[in-house]
Amino acid sequence: MKDLLSMTTEEMKKFASDMGEKPFRGKQIFTWLNRGVRDFDEMTDLSKALREKLEAGLENGEFIIGGCRVARVQEDSSDGTRKFLFEVGPGIEGTESEYVEGVFMKYRYGNTLCVSSQIGCRMGCRFCASALGGFVRNLNAGEMLGQVLAAEKHAGEEINHIVVMGMGEPFDNYENVSKFLRLLHDEAGKNMSYRNMTVSTSGIVPMIDRFADDFPQVNLAISLHRLTDEGRSAIMPINRKYPLGELLEAARRYTDKTHRRITFEYTLIRGENDSDEDIALMRKRLGGMLCHINLIPLNKVEETGFDGSSRRRAEEIAAALEAAGIPATVRRELGGEIDGACGQLRRISSCPNTSFSL
């Protein structure tokens, strides 16, 4: 089944040509869809005959306009962060409706959306809620783009930064994530700068090397969390396949090739990875790298049994790293009231009350 929202400009031009239309009509359709317009009658620079042809094709099931719709919105009263529950499917490759979460955050430099790339996750990180419901499937590029468009429509504000840090491992869905980034960047669409995009990985080494070649301007974040193989493997099973030494070498190759700073995300778990010995390991293994350490006091997920380090301890660790010449900050806590903070997004099996749609 053709999904118009997942099509690039060139694919849309071919789609138009296959309909007997001029290729530039495809670019016009692409622009409308990437503005969030789904009603062909609103595409006013298309002829009435073409709009009717498109509507007939949609009704006859020749193609779909994929994406997603907002099923539920929760707002954190303390900081205005909004957590969206997005419904994806049905109609895409015969799938049933499923739900993923995304988070809209306001910063002084603009609005950011945390985007999910998979329904569930198969990485199995012990401190994260995303894998608790199991892995269902990858999201396609249109479903990821749809999260941005739906959140913008609901918020009534433009999203000018995205972080692919929601549910799922982006590099486990590399082709679709790559297409999503290119769709966002297309000047006929949202025309978002690659420098306003960040992708986070748990450490799939071959994809880090490929990402450096494909997207040297997109920001890369690596979920690190421990600085020994034994400790990291205990909470992040991916480390058994790609051990810490290989991961850090891949990080160095990335910075050598792109000359871009890597962000290492380090979730602070009380009694697990926040000791003075852990600080010494960070200083030893990360010193001299072109990197930034983002310290994140663990956000509570009841099923994991872990507790987060205090804010005070996080700031002590940041100060110790800064003193050693390693840039470090403690992440601003957003969305805590609504379980919308880092590590708290999860698969929801159903949502009977749909409050908003796109």
Side-chain angles (χ1 to χ4, degrees), residues 8-147:
T8 64
T9 308
E10 292 306 311
E11 289 170 337
M12 196 68 79
K13 287 179 179 179
K14 183 178 185 305
F15 171 76
S17 295
D18 290 344
M19 294 181 67
E21 300 288 336
K22 298 291 186 182
F24 79 89
R25 294 297 186 192
K27 186 175 181 180
Q28 290 175 313
I29 297 168
F30 177 90
T31 297
W32 283 110
L33 291 175
N34 280 262
R35 290 177 185 170
V37 174
R38 299 173 73 94
D39 186 341
F40 294 121
D41 281 339
E42 295 181 31
M43 301 182 183
T44 52
D45 56 357
L46 304 182
S47 68
K48 183 177 180 181
L50 176 53
R51 296 199 303 267
E52 290 175 348
K53 190 188 300 186
L54 288 166
E55 188 61 40
L58 185 63
E59 291 177 357
N60 294 334
E62 297 171 18
F63 55 82
I64 62 170
I65 303 174
C68 63
R69 63 176 181 173
V70 176
R72 186 178 66 204
V73 184
Q74 298 167 271
E75 184 166 347
D76 190 319
S77 62
S78 67
D79 55 40
T81 297
R82 278 169 264 188
K83 182 170 73 170
F84 290 91
L85 185 65
F86 296 111
E87 181 184 15
V88 293
I92 299 170
E93 301 173 356
T95 59
E96 299 296 328
S97 290
E98 287 280 353
Y99 297 88
V100 297
E101 294 186 317
V103 182
F104 175 89
M105 298 162 285
K106 296 180 74 70
Y107 293 94
R108 56 178 175 78
Y109 53 77
N111 298 324
T112 296
L113 186 72
C114 180
V115 176
S116 289
S117 58
Q118 296 178 314
I119 303 171
C121 182
R122 53 180 146 217
M123 295 299 104
C125 299
R126 287 183 55 212
F127 50 86
C128 181
S130 294
L132 294 175
F135 173 80
V136 179
R137 67 173 175 88
N138 291 327
L139 296 181
N140 67 26
E143 290 170 319
M144 286 179 262
L145 176 60
Q147 293 172 53

Side-chain angles (χ1 to χ4, degrees), residues 10 33 77 79 94 111 113 126 132 136 159 162 182 184 221 243 247 252 254 257-258 273-274 276 315 318 320-321 341:
E10 292 306 311
L33 291 175
S77 62
D79 55 40
N111 298 324
L113 186 72
R126 287 183 55 212
L132 294 175
V136 179
I159 290 167
I162 62 102
R182 293 189 174 102
L184 279 180
L247 176 60
R252 291 186 180 92
Y254 173 88
K257 181 172 288 187
T258 66
N273 65 352
D274 61 351
D276 290 345
E315 290 169 352
L321 293 173

Side-chain angles (χ1 to χ4, degrees), residues 59-325:
E59 291 177 357
N60 294 334
E62 297 171 18
F63 55 82
I64 62 170
I65 303 174
C68 63
R69 63 176 181 173
V70 176
R72 186 178 66 204
V73 184
Q74 298 167 271
E75 184 166 347
D76 190 319
S77 62
S78 67
D79 55 40
T81 297
R82 278 169 264 188
K83 182 170 73 170
F84 290 91
L85 185 65
F86 296 111
E87 181 184 15
V88 293
I92 299 170
E93 301 173 356
T95 59
E96 299 296 328
S97 290
E98 287 280 353
Y99 297 88
V100 297
E101 294 186 317
V103 182
F104 175 89
M105 298 162 285
K106 296 180 74 70
Y107 293 94
R108 56 178 175 78
Y109 53 77
N111 298 324
T112 296
L113 186 72
C114 180
V115 176
S116 289
S117 58
Q118 296 178 314
I119 303 171
C121 182
R122 53 180 146 217
M123 295 299 104
C125 299
R126 287 183 55 212
F127 50 86
C128 181
S130 294
L132 294 175
F135 173 80
V136 179
R137 67 173 175 88
N138 291 327
L139 296 181
N140 67 26
E143 290 170 319
M144 286 179 262
L145 176 60
Q147 293 172 53
V148 179
L149 299 177
E152 281 188 330
K153 185 169 184 178
H154 184 276
E157 300 179 53
E158 183 180 9
I159 290 167
N160 36 41
H161 294 76
I162 62 102
V163 292
V164 189
M165 295 182 180
M167 290 172 55
E169 162 57 64
F171 285 177
D172 191 35
N173 186 19
Y174 189 87
E175 298 300 335
N176 284 312
V177 169
S178 297
K179 191 173 189 181
F180 164 59
L181 299 178
R182 293 189 174 102
L183 288 175
L184 279 180
H185 183 64
D186 194 308
E187 63 180 9
K190 286 196 61 60
N191 195 26
M192 185 181 292
S193 168
Y194 279 138
R195 291 181 180 269
N196 288 5
M197 307 178 196
T198 300
V199 175
S200 176
T201 179
S202 61
I204 300 180
V205 166
M207 294 299 102
I208 294 173
D209 291 320
R210 184 174 173 186
F211 191 72
D213 291 328
D214 293 346
F215 296 100
Q217 292 184 307
V218 176
N219 302 300
L220 177 64
I222 295 177
S223 296
L224 197 57
H225 312 310
R226 293 297 297 265
L227 268 302
T228 66
D229 277 322
E230 181 181 7
R232 194 166 188 268
S233 294
I235 59 172
M236 299 183 70
I238 189 67
N239 194 75
R240 298 166 196 161
K241 186 169 185 179
Y242 302 111
L244 188 60
E246 292 183 24
L247 176 60
L248 294 180
E249 281 303 311
R252 291 186 180 92
R253 289 194 299 272
Y254 173 88
T255 58
D256 287 345
K257 181 172 288 187
T258 66
H259 308 292
R260 301 293 305 284
R261 182 178 71 173
I262 279 182
T263 294
F264 287 117
E265 297 167 311
Y266 195 97
T267 295
L268 291 165
I269 306 171
R270 183 177 300 165
E272 289 281 332
N273 65 352
D274 61 351
S275 68
D276 290 345
E277 291 76 11
D278 291 306
I279 298 173
L281 279 170
M282 282 190 267
R283 293 169 64 167
K284 177 181 178 181
R285 305 206 69 168
L286 304 180
M289 291 187 67
L290 183 59
C291 68
H292 172 263
I293 314 302
N294 195 352
L295 298 167
I296 311 164
L298 177 75
N299 298 294
K300 187 71 173 179
V301 176
E302 291 296 335
E303 295 94 328
T304 68
F306 289 132
D307 289 315
S309 305
S310 68
R311 187 84 182 177
R312 178 178 177 180
R313 181 55 177 162
E315 290 169 352
E316 289 173 351
I317 294 172
L321 293 173
E322 287 280 350

